[in-house]
Amino acid sequence: MKKLLTVLLAAGVMTTAAAPSFATPTLRLTSGAVTKTVVDNAANDATEESGVVGYMGSVGDFSLSVTTGVTKPYQGDEYNPYLDLNSLSGTSGKAGTLKLEFTETGFLSIDNVLYLLSQIGGTINNANGSSLTYDVYADASNAAFGTGTQLLHAQYGTGAFSNTDFLKGDLTNPFSLTIVATLTHGAGGTSSFDAFVGVPEPTTLGLLGIGVLALGRTRKKHKSKSL
């Protein structure tokens, strides 16, 4: 009996050690020397839903109508990663840069292999020099805003845009995911975008086939309506 109790206690310790640590979904918005950090369900969170983080207001030279980040438990779960970063009507009165980051930790992959679908679309203001840089990171240290593995890097110029990518990463569990969107305005104007990263639906996987996913990345670019 004593030996059995010892085994059970040891198993409990091992289970506790292997369990993922969970952080709170967090938005981080930076323009110049100004940084606004919004934590899920904190006083400055514009939404009441767990897993949905919202901000409305100014960040440096930019005014944001609505910026939201959506993840688990509102959408997705540990084994079905889901991150969506949406910014509607980001406006500046002059040239400037706004960095928008959204992160969540505690995701798990089967056999330490991760397949994700990335979709982004929006409209960048027409001023010369305006652009949006889009990065997706996974981090095996499970750190919020961790950048251990870059899964995607893309850049878009002025006007309407949309893009779809299929991402693959080899990771140890648990891990974090982070979307980073860097918006640059060459002059005053307004831009909007919506970026999503998550596990593809089974029907999508069936249509594409495992062979396509094994390639790690395919890209299709076309015009879309502005958000």
Side-chain angles (χ1 to χ4, degrees):
M1 182 67 180
K2 185 175 181 180
K3 183 180 292 186
L4 176 60
L5 181 60
T6 301
V7 171
L8 290 174
L9 287 173
V13 170
M14 291 177 65
T15 301
T16 302
S21 59
F22 297 95
T24 305
T26 305
L27 272 173
R28 188 164 66 190
L29 312 170
T30 303
S31 178
V34 178
T35 296
K36 300 288 181 74
T37 300
V38 186
V39 177
D40 193 19
N41 293 322
N44 60 345
D45 182 4
T47 74
E48 297 181 352
E49 297 285 352
S50 294
V52 183
V53 188
Y55 179 79
M56 295 182 290
S58 63
V59 182
D61 295 325
F62 284 78
S63 176
L64 303 177
S65 177
V66 180
T67 296
T68 58
V70 180
T71 186
K72 60 180 172 65
Y74 190 81
Q75 287 286 345
D77 55 43
E78 290 83 355
Y79 282 100
N80 296 281
Y82 185 106
L83 259 72
D84 186 278
L85 175 60
N86 179 294
S87 188
L88 178 64
S89 298
T91 302
S92 66
K94 59 181 181 179
T97 298
L98 174 67
K99 185 177 183 181
L100 306 96
E101 303 168 89
F102 182 52
T103 192
E104 171 63 316
T105 66
F107 292 110
L108 302 170
S109 62
I110 298 175
D111 296 327
N112 295 327
V113 179
L114 177 67
Y115 294 106
L116 293 175
L117 172 70
S118 169
Q119 294 179 315
I120 186 171
T123 302
I124 309 302
N125 85 39
N126 291 322
N128 289 335
S130 296
S131 65
L132 179 73
T133 301
Y134 173 50
D135 295 282
V136 179
Y137 296 96
D139 191 83
S141 70
N142 200 32
F145 301 106
T147 57
T149 300
Q150 187 176 50
L151 299 176
L152 178 64
H153 173 77
Q155 186 170 14
Y156 308 98
T158 59
F161 69 94
S162 68
N163 204 58
T164 298
D165 290 273
F166 290 90
L167 316 178
K168 178 180 179 292
D170 298 316
L171 298 166
T172 56
N173 290 324
F175 61 90
S176 65
L177 286 174
T178 301
I179 292 175
V180 180
T182 304
L183 176 63
T184 299
H185 279 181
T190 299
S191 300
S192 299
F193 72 89
D194 187 11
F196 159 78
V197 176
V199 173
E201 294 292 333
T203 52
T204 303
L205 289 174
L207 290 172
L208 291 170
I210 299 302
V212 173
L213 288 176
L215 294 175
R217 181 174 175 179
T218 60
R219 175 166 292 184
K220 180 180 179 182
K221 189 171 184 179
H222 56 83
K223 293 288 184 179
S224 71
K225 294 182 179 180
S226 62
L227 297 179

